[in-house]
Amino acid sequence: SSDKKFDNFTVVWIGSPSTSIYLNEIKDVINDLAEKHHIQFLTIGANPNDIKDLNCNKLDWSTDSEYQILSKCHVGIMPLKNTLWEMGKCGFKILQYMSVKIPVIASPYGINSQIIKDGENGFTAVNKDEWIKKILILKNDNLVYKKLQINGYDTVYKNFNFETLKLKLSKIINEINIK
């Protein structure tokens, strides 16, 4: 994989049209940062209706280009609402970002708060000020950037790779069979 990044500091959101509504949670963050700090926002797979008021570039999702595009971005985001429905959402998006070595910022709801240790392997943010502050830290502080990049990748590699999951699953199956 190439370590070549987009020239502009780029924050990416990837998901399905049914989840792009969450981008409205941080609409002001996106528009402020795009305008005042020349940060580029990129959405992949979003519903055009959900993002019509966002200052962002829009791409359609494609399995062929997904990995290349993600790895050229600087930060991956996963905003959520804090409701029961979101508690059931999986953290696949976070793991996807971590696996291509881009630091992640996410709302700390549901599984997200179990995957992300704030300030260690990623950032969590709950309001506009936190989102802005943490995106700007990653833009301006190379040491923090590298730390989250490395620790995020390690999180996926150590806890969520196929071999690790296979071992955990077989352990669970064996415990069930014993009972």
Side-chain angles (χ1 to χ4, degrees):
S1 78
S2 146
D3 285 340
K4 179 104 183 78
K5 298 284 185 193
F6 288 119
D7 292 339
N8 276 357
F9 190 85
T10 303
V11 175
V12 66
W13 176 93
I14 189 169
S16 63
S18 65
T19 57
S20 51
I21 189 120
Y22 297 121
L23 286 164
N24 284 306
E25 298 294 302
I26 58 165
K27 180 169 70 178
D28 295 343
V29 171
I30 292 172
N31 292 340
D32 282 9
L33 288 172
E35 191 183 318
K36 296 177 187 150
H37 295 275
H38 311 293
I39 291 175
Q40 173 175 287
F41 283 82
L42 177 63
T43 61
I44 302 173
N47 176 340
N49 294 326
D50 291 337
I51 56 175
K52 59 183 184 298
D53 299 331
L54 293 187
N55 188 343
C56 65
N57 295 330
K58 306 158 189 70
L59 288 178
D60 290 331
W61 181 82
S62 131
T63 184
D64 298 333
S65 60
E66 174 184 43
Y67 179 81
Q68 289 88 328
I69 292 167
L70 282 180
S71 48
K72 287 172 80 170
C73 297
H74 296 84
V75 175
I77 57 170
M78 185 177 176
L80 283 177
K81 280 181 162 66
N82 187 11
T83 71
L84 267 174
W85 172 257
E86 283 71 36
M87 295 300 157
K89 292 194 71 55
C90 82
F92 181 68
K93 205 183 272 95
I94 292 173
L95 300 175
Q96 227 177 344
Y97 298 141
M98 289 176 167
S99 74
V100 295
K101 296 186 180 168
I102 59 174
V104 62
I105 307 176
S107 304
Y109 311 128
I111 191 82
N112 292 10
S113 57
Q114 290 173 39
I115 299 173
I116 297 175
K117 306 283 171 268
D118 187 44
E120 284 300 311
N121 63 351
F123 277 142
T124 57
V126 293
N127 57 39
K128 181 183 174 182
D129 289 346
E130 285 186 10
W131 277 98
I132 288 178
K133 183 179 137 199
K134 290 177 175 180
I135 289 171
L136 289 176
I137 288 172
L138 289 173
K139 181 176 191 248
N140 298 320
D141 189 329
N142 201 35
L143 284 176
V144 174
Y145 186 92
K146 288 258 183 279
K147 175 184 171 184
L148 298 194
Q149 195 178 29
I150 291 163
N151 291 346
Y153 182 77
D154 284 350
T155 297
V156 173
Y157 190 76
K158 289 181 179 142
N159 304 309
F160 295 97
N161 75 56
F162 184 69
E163 289 305 315
T164 311
L165 292 174
K166 212 163 65 174
L167 287 171
K168 286 180 185 171
L169 188 60
S170 64
K171 192 172 170 238
I172 291 168
I173 290 169
N174 287 336
E175 284 170 8
I176 293 169
N177 287 339
I178 291 164
K179 292 168 187 151

